[in-house]
Amino acid sequence: MTDQIKYVLGEQDIPRTWYNLAADLPGGAPHLHPGTGAEVTVDDLVGIMPVTLAEQELTREAEIEIPEPVRQIYAQWRPSPLFRARRLERVLNTPARIYYKYEGGSPAGSHKPNTAIAQAYYNKQAGVTRLATETGAGQWGSSLSLAGALFGLDVTVYMVKVSYHQKPYRRMLMETYGARCVPSPSTETAAGRAILAEDPDCPGSLGIATSEAIEVAAGDAGTNYGGGSVLNHVLLHQTVIGQEAIAQFALADDYPDIVIGCTGGGSNFGGLTFPFLGEQLRGGRKVRVIAAEPESCPTMTRGSFAYDFGDTAGLTPLLKMHTLGHSFMPPPVHAGGLRYHGMAPLVSEALDQNLIEAAAVNQLNCFASGIAFARSEGIVPAPESTHAIEIAVREAIKCREENTSRTILFGLSGHGHFDLGAYEAYLSGSLRDEALDPAVLSEALAKLPGLVDA
Amino acid sequence: MTDQIKYVLGEQDIPRTWYNLAADLPGGAPHLHPGTGAEVTVDDLVGIMPVTLAEQELTREAEIEIPEPVRQIYAQWRPSPLFRARRLERVLNTPARIYYKYEGGSPAGSHKPNTAIAQAYYNKQAGVTRLATETGAGQWGSSLSLAGALFGLDVTVYMVKVSYHQKPYRRMLMETYGARCVPSPSTETAAGRAILAEDPDCPGSLGIATSEAIEVAAGDAGTNYGGGSVLNHVLLHQTVIGQEAIAQFALADDYPDIVIGCTGGGSNFGGLTFPFLGEQLRGGRKVRVIAAEPESCPTMTRGSFAYDFGDTAGLTPLLKMHTLGHSFMPPPVHAGGLRYHGMAPLVSEALDQNLIEAAAVNQLNCFASGIAFARSEGIVPAPESTHAIEIAVREAIKCREENTSRTILFGLSGHGHFDLGAYEAYLSGSLRDEALDPAVLSEALAKLPGLVDA
């Protein structure tokens, strides 16, 4: 065909290793033990994850072999397609060449199974029988539920209470996979009970749900924790995305000038962009990398670069990251996957070293671009993914204004079939631009100094 | 990899022609004009569809060229994958080799865009500006809405009222694509108003919604009708599915002994099985072909083979088909796409000639098999597709009991992300087995004789 729109690879082209940016990124601050403040070791982590994953969390090795049983399951939807957005280009009347790497073809509808399958595999190997985790909008919870079903592990998901009620279909998906889904804060954990004692109507947050899941995993020998983002080994598993994209650009005889990903905890973004950054750090072609975050939860554009907890109760290791403070409660934007106070340490370090840029976008513009994308490319994007689309659209319009062609790649991390209520709200004019309350942000940031003796 | 689970083809392998079973199937009764009883001509159809589609409806040519712009859009998700269900085989402990052809990767989540894209293309070429159609569960309505967005056509969808309220996400998907979705029966048409005058609380049916759409298309020169199933040209467009499957079985060095599809109007079933039947009719290998229908709407297992209308008001041509009578109102099973009183004339003719078998399955068994499939293969199937899964599971268990290996192929026509409410009802024990009322069936069947002077 004359106008190719899809670049596919074969099953044999599924990457055989994950790529670890820590091997090529100079510097970087270690995770610290929340009690002692000492550098975290494998031994500190094995209470909540198998040795293999703990080692992956801390290693600086560049390439980690992907187990064959994991690749076999990946093969169901991987290599994921790289699309050329020719119809969107025409709508925007831009000389830019726009590509997107689509992860919504996984059975759970997002990139999250890339790590869920790996984590379930290693836990099964280690004799674990149950996984506990948190979820916001439900992309992660449904992915770990899927992985649990495939490996015969029980899965308990603490789902942020407001999302639990707003997105019943996500809960039903987890239950269809056989998982148990609990609205958080719950009475099942000390962390949950403490929050409920203070505020019985607390709508929950990812930080609180994480505390619940970690508490359960730490307190039970047969139960481990499954992390959906932020941690090094989670981002590691997602790097199949970017590695495939590089191979697909070779097929297209093209290479991106700009790579864009949306960022909540950073796993979709890191998965897509780290392999490109790795090429650059090893002397390859330079790319402009942009992290797209919501204005209402502007971790990288308005947060501090500091040690902070990954959860509300302070059970996780202290992580050096861009953070709004672990007590920060973001407004209820529809992109639930982006409502997290922190950012993956590896992404934060890359930002601090000016290897990447961050841009904050508002919800209404994101939905406008999401609709334009759906009506030209046919795929209804997840609200999270619309943040990347919005930046891609801006860059494509800039190309038109400057009469310059650039190659733009963005990550379409998932489809929006579970989020159509948000689209309806947008189309009916009832969707608001959730503003950040500066006082809430100041208060949360003020709690950061002193967490670690500098 | 040792255990291949996916058989993929390249963009160049998208079929270049659609396959018309009418060319190889001897006999077959023509469509008749509802007023005169004469054989329908192209001229009779051009009031509601472009000449190209009217010709495709009536031709006995074996191969119809697929326009290149249609193939270009197909390329976004076609060739669709053929999967080997190795994990399901292990769960069933069967020597059978089970394969499924998955159509849920299309942007609308089902096989329906295969014809929606083609119909929108031909209508756009003919200068039409608006399409009207009906939809039950919403798979077809959302697919035509998608196609309308891609070709710049306005789309109005008359959605069966009970589904309109039960499945709001499907309506929202159509609106996100820019279509207008109207609960049927509506006050917008004479057909709708007549029904409402008799029963203001009428929950609607596919037959009624079809009457509304055809009335609108017939009454407005710029508006045409988009058919989601039943008609010859619709089944024709779906044959890309089976043609690809044949090429994929060559890759797998295997060939099905049994091919199974679920049947509502027959387009998913015809699309998958007709190319296999064509091979057989032209002297190739014989396959056992099974049509899976709901016990609550048993068109082929308990209907008459007679001339009947495709809609309630009697606006369509008279079609020779297996039918429960155009006034038949099926119970509200969750597989909305299978709640249709008739069956495609080509499928009906194949059944009458014993080229295929039909089997009726009940809702509870279908959901049980659907859950088993979701937990082993990862993909949550559409309620319609669970009917094919249920038959495939039965055949696989028979292989175990007979200690024989057979190759079983079934069509997984779509995913169930919009139908999770039904899964929740099943898991919570509140899902009922919707029984057919014999009196309702008898009354509907009694109206058939006399429609045509024999």
Side-chain angles (χ1 to χ4, degrees):
Chain A
M1 283 180 227
T2 47
D3 286 349
Q4 196 167 356
I5 61 165
K6 186 171 63 174
Y7 298 90
V8 292
L9 300 167
E11 199 163 322
Q12 70 285 357
D13 302 315
I14 296 171
R16 293 180 187 279
T17 56
W18 291 301
Y19 168 65
N20 182 14
L21 183 68
D24 293 307
L25 189 70
H31 304 344
L32 302 183
H33 191 285
T36 66
E39 189 168 334
V40 160
T41 65
V42 167
D43 283 350
D44 294 329
L45 298 175
V46 291
I48 59 167
M49 64 181 74
V51 173
T52 40
L53 290 176
E55 287 172 348
Q56 289 178 11
E57 180 63 25
L58 303 179
T59 186
R60 283 190 171 260
E61 220 177 297
E63 298 191 332
I64 311 289
E65 193 180 334
I66 305 177
E68 207 51 24
V70 173
R71 287 185 78 236
Q72 284 240 344
I73 295 176
Y74 278 176
Q76 193 172 3
W77 70 92
R78 305 215 70 85
S80 70
L82 176 74
F83 288 113
R84 172 85 181 268
R86 290 187 187 270
R87 298 190 295 261
L88 179 65
E89 290 170 17
R90 279 197 287 273
V91 166
L92 298 175
N93 189 26
T94 176
R97 293 185 301 282
I98 307 176
Y99 296 81
Y100 55 101
K101 178 79 168 161
Y102 182 46
E103 293 292 312
S106 81
S110 78
H111 65 293
K112 294 288 189 189
N114 294 330
T115 184
I117 300 297
Q119 291 185 47
Y121 168 79
Y122 287 119
N123 276 287
K124 181 74 178 181
Q125 291 291 103
V128 167
T129 58
R130 189 163 78 110
L131 296 174
T133 196
E134 74 285 344
T135 201
Q139 300 262 30
W140 169 242
S142 51
S143 299
L144 196 68
S145 301
L146 159 71
L150 299 187
F151 285 100
L153 296 169
D154 288 337
V155 174
T156 302
V157 180
Y158 294 90
M159 185 171 186
V160 175
K161 194 179 280 175
V162 59
S163 294
Y164 181 94
H165 294 296
Q166 266 177 0
K167 301 188 191 253
Y169 272 41
R170 275 280 176 201
R171 166 180 60 74
M172 293 176 202
L173 180 57
M174 297 180 224
E175 290 169 352
T176 298
Y177 286 136
R180 199 169 69 90
C181 185
V182 181
S184 165
S186 79
T187 55
E188 294 189 359
T189 67
R193 289 188 294 271
I195 298 276
L196 289 171
E198 261 188 46
D199 176 9
D201 298 324
C202 173
S205 73
L206 267 174
I208 294 169
T210 304
S211 294
E212 294 207 88
I214 289 186
E215 182 185 324
V216 168
D220 176 29
T223 302
N224 266 341
Y225 171 72
S229 192
V230 182
L231 296 169
N232 297 343
H233 69 277
V234 179
L235 275 63
L236 177 78
H237 300 156
Q238 294 292 354
T239 58
V240 288
I241 304 172
Q243 292 183 70
E244 289 174 6
I246 289 172
Q248 287 162 317
F249 270 103
L251 288 182
D253 197 19
D254 204 346
Y255 198 84
D257 299 300
I258 306 173
V259 182
I260 303 160
C262 65
T263 44
S267 79
N268 155 67
F269 175 82
L272 175 67
T273 67
F274 284 3
F276 286 97
L277 289 175
E279 294 274 309
Q280 175 180 327
L281 288 166
R282 293 189 303 273
R285 191 161 152 183
K286 192 168 158 42
V287 284
R288 198 177 147 212
V289 173
I290 309 175
E293 66 179 11
E295 278 183 1
S296 56
C297 193
T299 317
M300 288 180 288
T301 52
R302 296 179 63 184
S304 297
F305 186 43
Y307 271 105
D308 195 7
F309 294 111
D311 70 324
T312 303
L315 302 177
T316 70
L318 284 156
L319 307 173
K320 180 81 178 287
M321 58 183 178
H322 286 84
T323 176
L324 301 166
H326 63 274
S327 67
F328 176 75
M329 191 75 84
V333 287
H334 284 279
L338 308 186
R339 292 179 67 244
Y340 182 67
H341 69 275
M343 181 49 56
L346 280 171
V347 174
S348 297
E349 184 64 32
L351 179 64
D352 192 58
Q353 296 188 22
N354 294 314
L355 281 169
I356 64 171
E357 306 166 29
V361 285
N362 77 45
Q363 177 161 265
L364 285 175
N365 289 339
C366 288
F367 274 99
S369 286
I371 296 257
F373 182 82
R375 292 182 181 176
S376 56
E377 293 296 314
I379 300 169
V380 177
E384 291 80 2
S385 311
T386 62
H387 291 67
I389 296 173
E390 164 64 8
I391 297 288
V393 166
R394 283 191 205 175
E395 292 294 332
I397 289 174
K398 210 182 289 173
C399 286
R400 182 180 67 202
E401 290 167 352
E402 297 174 1
N403 201 19
T404 308
S405 175
R406 293 190 194 95
T407 298
I408 300 170
L409 165 66
F410 69 87
L412 189 65
S413 53
H415 65 61
H417 289 173
F418 296 102
D419 308 283
L420 286 163
Y423 280 92
E424 174 169 63
Y426 175 80
L427 289 169
S428 68
S430 68
L431 195 77
R432 292 178 307 159
D433 233 350
E434 298 289 348
L436 179 70
D437 183 339
V440 170
L441 178 57
S442 300
E443 192 185 332
L445 287 174
K447 290 180 188 163
L448 284 174
L451 280 181
V452 178
D453 303 322
Chain B
M1 281 179 230
T2 46
D3 286 350
Q4 195 166 358
I5 60 165
K6 187 172 62 173
Y7 298 90
V8 291
L9 299 167
E11 201 163 321
Q12 70 285 355
D13 303 314
I14 297 171
R16 294 180 186 279
T17 56
W18 291 300
Y19 168 66
N20 182 14
L21 182 67
D24 294 308
L25 189 69
H31 304 344
L32 302 183
H33 190 285
T36 66
E39 187 169 335
V40 159
T41 64
V42 167
D43 283 351
D44 293 330
L45 297 175
V46 292
I48 59 167
M49 63 180 73
V51 173
T52 40
L53 290 175
E55 287 172 348
Q56 289 177 11
E57 181 63 26
L58 303 180
T59 185
R60 283 189 172 260
E61 220 177 297
E63 298 192 330
I64 311 289
E65 193 181 332
I66 306 177
E68 207 51 27
V70 172
R71 288 184 78 236
Q72 284 240 343
I73 293 176
Y74 278 176
Q76 191 171 5
W77 71 93
R78 305 213 73 83
S80 70
L82 175 76
F83 289 113
R84 171 84 182 268
R86 290 186 186 272
R87 298 191 295 261
L88 179 65
E89 289 170 16
R90 279 196 288 271
V91 167
L92 297 175
N93 189 27
T94 176
R97 294 185 300 283
I98 307 176
Y99 296 81
Y100 56 101
K101 177 79 170 160
Y102 182 46
E103 292 293 311
S106 81
S110 79
H111 65 294
K112 294 287 188 187
N114 295 331
T115 183
I117 300 298
Q119 291 186 47
Y121 168 78
Y122 288 119
N123 275 287
K124 181 74 178 182
Q125 291 290 102
V128 165
T129 58
R130 187 161 79 108
L131 295 175
T133 195
E134 73 285 342
T135 201
Q139 301 262 28
W140 169 242
S142 50
S143 298
L144 197 68
S145 302
L146 159 70
L150 299 187
F151 285 100
L153 297 169
D154 288 338
V155 174
T156 301
V157 181
Y158 294 91
M159 185 170 186
V160 174
K161 195 180 278 177
V162 58
S163 296
Y164 182 93
H165 293 297
Q166 265 178 2
K167 302 189 190 253
Y169 272 41
R170 277 280 175 200
R171 167 180 59 74
M172 293 177 202
L173 180 56
M174 297 180 224
E175 291 169 351
T176 298
Y177 285 136
R180 197 168 69 91
C181 185
V182 182
S184 165
S186 79
T187 56
E188 296 190 357
T189 65
R193 287 188 296 269
I195 298 277
L196 289 172
E198 261 188 47
D199 177 8
D201 298 323
C202 174
S205 74
L206 266 175
I208 296 169
T210 304
S211 295
E212 294 208 87
I214 289 187
E215 181 185 325
V216 166
D220 176 29
T223 302
N224 267 341
Y225 171 72
S229 193
V230 182
L231 296 169
N232 296 343
H233 70 278
V234 177
L235 274 64
L236 176 80
H237 299 156
Q238 293 293 353
T239 58
V240 288
I241 303 173
Q243 292 183 69
E244 288 174 6
I246 288 173
Q248 287 162 319
F249 269 103
L251 288 182
D253 198 19
D254 204 346
Y255 199 84
D257 299 300
I258 305 173
V259 182
I260 303 160
C262 63
T263 44
S267 80
N268 155 68
F269 175 82
L272 176 67
T273 66
F274 285 2
F276 286 97
L277 289 175
E279 294 274 309
Q280 174 180 328
L281 287 166
R282 293 189 303 273
R285 192 162 152 182
K286 193 169 157 43
V287 285
R288 197 178 148 214
V289 173
I290 308 174
E293 67 179 11
E295 279 184 0
S296 57
C297 191
T299 316
M300 287 180 289
T301 52
R302 296 180 62 185
S304 297
F305 186 43
Y307 271 105
D308 194 7
F309 293 111
D311 69 325
T312 302
L315 302 177
T316 70
L318 283 157
L319 307 173
K320 181 81 179 286
M321 58 182 180
H322 286 84
T323 177
L324 302 166
H326 64 273
S327 67
F328 177 75
M329 190 77 81
V333 287
H334 283 279
L338 308 186
R339 292 179 68 244
Y340 182 67
H341 68 274
M343 182 49 56
L346 280 170
V347 174
S348 297
E349 184 63 33
L351 179 65
D352 192 58
Q353 296 188 18
N354 293 315
L355 281 169
I356 65 172
E357 305 165 30
V361 286
N362 76 43
Q363 179 162 264
L364 285 175
N365 289 339
C366 288
F367 273 98
S369 286
I371 296 257
F373 182 82
R375 291 183 183 176
S376 56
E377 293 296 315
I379 300 170
V380 177
E384 289 81 1
S385 311
T386 63
H387 291 66
I389 296 173
E390 164 64 8
I391 297 287
V393 166
R394 284 191 204 175
E395 292 294 332
I397 289 173
K398 209 181 291 174
C399 285
R400 183 181 65 204
E401 289 166 354
E402 298 174 1
N403 200 18
T404 310
S405 176
R406 292 190 195 94
T407 298
I408 300 170
L409 165 65
F410 69 87
L412 188 64
S413 52
H415 65 63
H417 289 174
F418 295 102
D419 307 284
L420 286 162
Y423 280 92
E424 174 169 64
Y426 175 80
L427 290 169
S428 69
S430 68
L431 195 77
R432 291 179 307 159
D433 233 350
E434 299 289 349
L436 178 69
D437 183 340
V440 169
L441 178 57
S442 301
E443 192 185 332
L445 287 174
K447 291 181 188 163
L448 284 175
L451 279 182
V452 177
D453 303 322

